[in-house]
């Protein structure tokens, strides 16, 4: 008896097929994925390393300390905040997508400013002014900036329509 039909090749799992079809893509994707993994590992180790350091500082730092160059510290911090807010304004006016970076930095600096103003004024009559500025100015502006950065990042991740297509018509922007 002769067999007229050949045996079909064994079924290859779909996963193996996709790997064999794209060997070059796997090599291309490996480097960014490895960098991402290393970055996340570095952040995790840094966060874990901060735990004992924070405990050590909490136990060993004096509750009072006479500061040298107090003026330089606060003026420098405020210049940094001014630079971040100014860059946010300039890039916002120009509608540049990089506005998210100084806006985020401004928000973080405002939160830090509120924290340091209030915590350093504890036990003094200035605590009420610091708390009022934190609650009514610094933290609301920071929250606004965080919200705007979130919105801008969401908008930037959405696909944009082609500039050649007129909105709502489906026609190209070319003149007839």
């Amino acid at each position: 008896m002769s067999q007229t039909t050949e045996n079909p090749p064994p079924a290859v799992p779909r996963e193996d097929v996709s790997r064999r079809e794209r060997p070059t893509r796997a090599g291309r994707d490996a480097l960014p994925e490895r960098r991402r993994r290393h970055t996340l590992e570095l952040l995790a180790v840094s966060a874990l390393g901060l735990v004992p350091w924070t405990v050590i500082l909490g136990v060993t730092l004096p509750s009072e300390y006479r500061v040298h160059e107090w003026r330089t510290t606060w003026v420098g911090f405020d210049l940094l905040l001014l630079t971040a807010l100014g860059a946010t304004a300039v890039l916002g006016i120009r509608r540049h997508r990089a506005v998210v970076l100084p806006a985020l930095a401004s928000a973080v600096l405002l939160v830090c400013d509120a924290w340091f103003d209030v915590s350093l004024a504890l036990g003094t009559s200035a605590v009420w002014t610091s708390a009022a500025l934190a609650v009514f100015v610094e933290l609301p502006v920071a929250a606004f900036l965080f919200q705007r950065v979130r919105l801008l990042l969401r908008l930037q991740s959405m696909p944009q329509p082609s500039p050649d297509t007129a909105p709502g018509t489906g026609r190209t922007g070319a003149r007839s």
Side-chain angles (χ1 to χ4, degrees), residues 110 114-115 118 127-143:
L110 284 165
W115 169 260
V118 172
V127 72
W128 298 110
T129 304
S130 297
L133 282 171
V135 169
F136 295 112
V137 178
E138 294 162 329
L139 296 177
V141 172

